Amino acid sequence: MKRAIRYLRFSQLGQSNGSIERQELYTDQYLLHHNIQLVDSFIDRGKSAKTFDRPDFIKLQAFIAKHYKSVDYLLVDQLDRFSRDAGEAMNMVKQFQRKYNIQIVSVTEGIIFDYETPGSFFRAGLQLLLAEEDNINRSIKVRGGLYTARAKEGRFLTREKPFGYIKVGEGKQRHLEINEQEAKIVKTIYEMFLRDVPLYKIKEIAYQAGFDRKGSMAIDRVLANPVYAGLVRVEPFKDLPGGLFPAIHEPIIDKVSWQLVQGKMKKPDKVKVVIDEEIPLRGVVKCHCGVPLTGAPSRGKSGKYFYYYKCKHSKHNNISAIKAHEQFLNACDLMSVPERQIKEIRNGCYASLEQEVKVNNKRASEKKHELEEIQQRLNVVEEKWFKDEINKDTYQRWYSIYSDQMLTLTAAIERLSANQGKTFEILESNLNLLGDIRHIYIKSDTLKKREFVNMVFEGNLYYEKGIYRTPTMLDMFSHNASKMEEKGYLIYKKKREILSEIPQSGR
């Protein structure tokens, strides 16, 4: 009696375990009709036929290598169960016949592959080519559908939901909605990154706040993901362009901030800066050669430690931290904003806040309307459930969907309707502090000190020949620039004037 093994497979593209049962039925009938003994079966569930790198197919190869002398046939339902890559499949079946003298049988197609028989070889090759063509056509349709859904409809189709969002709806109605709690963390991550907070510190603060994504690059992926700017990334399809397209979901980050973050991420990797309260300007202030200053303590003759800012080029800068800090605080005194200017800032801020309140009130009204519609839909579902028009599973599914949507909308309404009185109060009580910049700087923690320096000087604060220098400075703090230079604290020269004095290398 002839002996055979069989190989069964279904992919994830619209197939199921029912496909395996059908393949078992047809191969069983073939075995019975031809009086062939089945030795073993190998089944790959949910595996693509694009390659032979499949768990049970690998086991099949090992089995054949060991028991080929006692096996005559390898049965498949159709040759495309074996593989959809015609070239690889032909080579593999030729190898089975030549090396192990095992023939491949496609039971429903009525083909016994025999490399020595031209007609059999041709038919098998034709079936494999047809299977590959079918696979290509299916792939084109799938990719075309995905392109349309993403580029034309703005739908987010990735299986894993991005942190900061929840997935709601079913089928084509499935979309992203903001998870208010997580969205706050996403905003914090972006704000800290734009303020030049070191990545290790961003991770530390984000995880303390409830960020739950694992991996060393989790924060980087959040910063690089266009979904947070209300965009979806699309791969090119045929002659249609790829790139970023507007999405239908609500953004968490505005597009300008997202673009700024992408620009900062593309810059060459910086030396990791560790936050130290004794030397808050480490990595923020640069040597005149353009290299960020490092900082470390040095032990004096008395055994006491003194902190210094240093350039990696030993002959450039070695500055006492005490001197550097006192110079900067003296410059802060002269940066203090006059009362007249504070009044102008106050008026501008009030106007801006009032406009934001109007916009938020309008959006809150829209969300309330959406909430009413969802509540009505839920009422309809409950009514159908009471009338036995839908079963319990259907009711529970829609109840869960609508409840999630209502929670999200309620949180959004609460956020948008928040009383801005506290904001006005904070603005009123803190604006006057601009009249004492030294006080603001001293009372700030190390992170805020660094953010303040980067904000005021736009990341361009240098030190050379015993004095701070900068080509960029916020106008509101530059009114006493000549006095700062005169007293030896800070030289402020416009960018064009100072570029020739600040080399971009380590010379």
Side-chain angles (χ1 to χ4, degrees), residues 445-458:
D445 60 29
T446 306
L447 272 178
K448 287 187 172 62
K449 284 183 170 76
R450 296 166 62 84
E451 292 166 17
F452 173 79
V453 174
N454 277 326
M455 178 192 70
V456 172
F457 303 103
E458 299 179 22

Side-chain angles (χ1 to χ4, degrees), residues 61-336:
Q61 289 175 291
F63 182 92
I64 290 175
K66 186 175 181 180
H67 303 289
Y68 67 93
K69 292 183 179 179
S70 59
V71 176
D72 302 291
Y73 302 111
L74 167 58
L75 269 58
V76 292
D77 169 42
Q78 294 180 347
L79 286 174
D80 65 355
R81 298 300 90 200
F82 186 67
S83 174
R84 284 181 176 267
D85 187 313
E88 282 192 4
M90 293 294 284
N91 287 331
M92 183 63 72
V93 293
K94 281 193 291 184
Q95 176 185 320
F96 282 152
Q97 184 175 358
R98 284 178 166 180
K99 188 173 182 179
Y100 301 117
N101 199 30
I102 292 177
Q103 292 182 313
I104 310 296
V105 178
S106 171
V107 298
T108 57
E109 293 165 330
I111 300 172
I112 300 177
F113 181 86
D114 186 348
Y115 183 65
E116 305 298 333
T117 305
S120 169
F121 177 80
F122 175 78
R123 285 192 63 200
L126 180 61
Q127 288 299 130
L128 286 168
L129 286 170
L130 289 172
E132 185 167 354
E133 181 186 34
D134 179 56
N135 197 43
I136 291 170
N137 288 333
R138 183 184 290 111
S139 174
I140 290 172
K141 288 179 182 178
V142 169
R143 288 189 292 119
L146 291 175
Y147 184 91
T148 299
R150 289 177 173 137
K152 306 297 183 184
E153 301 170 9
R155 291 164 55 200
F156 182 84
L157 300 177
T158 306
R159 286 187 178 182
E160 183 181 0
K161 77 169 186 65
F163 183 85
Y165 288 97
I166 57 173
K167 285 186 175 181
V168 298
E170 297 292 333
K172 288 190 175 183
Q173 302 303 315
R174 193 166 178 79
H175 64 282
L176 296 179
E177 287 192 2
I178 291 177
N179 178 317
E180 296 291 335
Q181 193 66 32
E182 292 182 356
K184 291 179 183 177
I185 300 172
V186 172
K187 288 179 181 178
T188 300
I189 290 171
Y190 273 78
E191 289 167 1
M192 288 192 292
F193 186 80
L194 287 172
R195 297 198 310 261
D196 288 322
V197 177
L199 265 177
Y200 86 92
K201 201 69 179 176
I202 295 176
K203 292 177 182 178
E204 181 182 308
I205 293 169
Y207 281 113
Q208 287 174 354
F211 185 70
D212 63 0
R213 296 296 192 266
K214 305 301 181 185
S216 60
M217 298 295 290
I219 296 292
D220 304 71
R221 285 193 288 272
V222 168
L223 291 167
N225 196 339
V227 71
Y228 298 112
L231 300 169
V232 59
R233 196 182 302 280
V234 182
E235 295 297 322
F237 176 67
K238 292 189 174 181
D239 296 330
L240 299 173
L244 298 176
F245 289 79
I248 57 174
H249 64 264
E250 184 179 351
I252 293 174
I253 306 298
D254 64 90
K255 290 183 177 64
V256 174
S257 296
W258 188 80
Q259 291 287 1
L260 287 172
V261 166
Q262 306 320 300
K264 288 173 70 71
M265 290 183 74
K266 289 177 182 177
K267 290 181 180 178
D269 292 339
K270 300 178 181 178
V271 176
K272 181 179 178 180
V273 176
V274 178
I275 303 299
D276 190 325
E277 293 180 1
E278 299 292 338
I279 40 177
L281 300 178
R282 175 170 61 185
V284 174
V285 177
K286 301 172 186 175
C287 174
H288 61 272
C289 68
V291 174
L293 294 176
T294 60
S298 261
R299 188 172 183 176
K301 292 181 180 179
S302 64
K304 186 178 178 180
Y305 283 94
F306 299 90
Y307 283 83
Y308 289 85
Y309 290 105
K310 301 178 181 180
C311 177
K312 71 176 183 179
H313 303 288
S314 59
K315 295 182 180 180
H316 285 188
N317 270 310
N318 188 10
I319 316 153
S320 163
I322 294 174
K323 176 187 175 182
H325 296 162
E326 188 58 31
Q327 277 180 294
F328 188 78
L329 288 173
N330 289 334
C332 285
D333 284 332
L334 293 173
M335 283 191 280
S336 296

Side-chain angles (χ1 to χ4, degrees), residues 289-480:
C289 68
V291 174
L293 294 176
T294 60
S298 261
R299 188 172 183 176
K301 292 181 180 179
S302 64
K304 186 178 178 180
Y305 283 94
F306 299 90
Y307 283 83
Y308 289 85
Y309 290 105
K310 301 178 181 180
C311 177
K312 71 176 183 179
H313 303 288
S314 59
K315 295 182 180 180
H316 285 188
N317 270 310
N318 188 10
I319 316 153
S320 163
I322 294 174
K323 176 187 175 182
H325 296 162
E326 188 58 31
Q327 277 180 294
F328 188 78
L329 288 173
N330 289 334
C332 285
D333 284 332
L334 293 173
M335 283 191 280
S336 296
V337 181
E339 187 174 343
R340 173 186 54 78
Q341 195 173 351
I342 291 175
K343 185 177 180 180
E344 292 174 359
I345 294 170
R346 179 183 287 108
N347 292 337
C349 288
Y350 276 123
S352 177
L353 280 172
E354 286 172 357
Q355 179 61 30
E356 184 178 344
V357 168
K358 289 180 181 178
V359 172
N360 284 349
N361 286 341
K362 182 180 178 182
R363 293 181 62 196
S365 177
E366 292 170 352
K367 295 288 183 184
K368 287 177 182 177
H369 181 68
E370 289 181 41
L371 181 60
E372 290 172 1
E373 288 184 344
I374 298 298
Q375 181 64 64
Q376 289 173 5
R377 292 178 193 173
L378 181 57
N379 292 341
V380 170
V381 170
E382 288 180 339
E383 187 177 346
K384 288 184 177 181
W385 162 241
F386 293 144
K387 292 180 178 179
D388 287 333
E389 294 178 5
I390 56 174
N391 59 34
K392 184 179 179 180
D393 289 340
T394 301
Y395 167 72
Q396 289 179 337
R397 177 165 59 86
W398 284 109
Y399 181 86
S400 175
I401 291 170
Y402 289 144
S403 295
D404 287 344
Q405 291 177 356
M406 289 170 65
L407 283 173
T408 300
L409 287 168
T410 301
I413 292 167
E414 184 179 338
R415 170 174 56 84
L416 294 168
S417 304
N419 189 342
Q420 295 294 335
K422 187 68 175 176
T423 305
F424 285 99
E425 183 184 326
I426 292 171
L427 177 65
E428 185 60 38
S429 61
N430 286 281
L431 263 181
N432 288 330
L433 293 176
L434 289 174
D436 189 353
I437 298 300
R438 174 190 279 260
H439 175 78
I440 292 176
Y441 184 81
I442 290 174
K443 290 297 182 180
S444 299
D445 60 29
T446 306
L447 272 178
K448 287 187 172 62
K449 284 183 170 76
R450 296 166 62 84
E451 292 166 17
F452 173 79
V453 174
N454 277 326
M455 178 192 70
V456 172
F457 303 103
E458 299 179 22
N460 291 313
L461 186 60
Y462 297 84
Y463 201 93
E464 181 186 16
K465 296 179 181 178
I467 190 169
Y468 289 99
R469 299 168 183 266
T470 183
T472 52
M473 188 175 183
L474 291 181
D475 287 342
M476 66 183 294
F477 298 121
S478 66
H479 52 281
N480 284 323

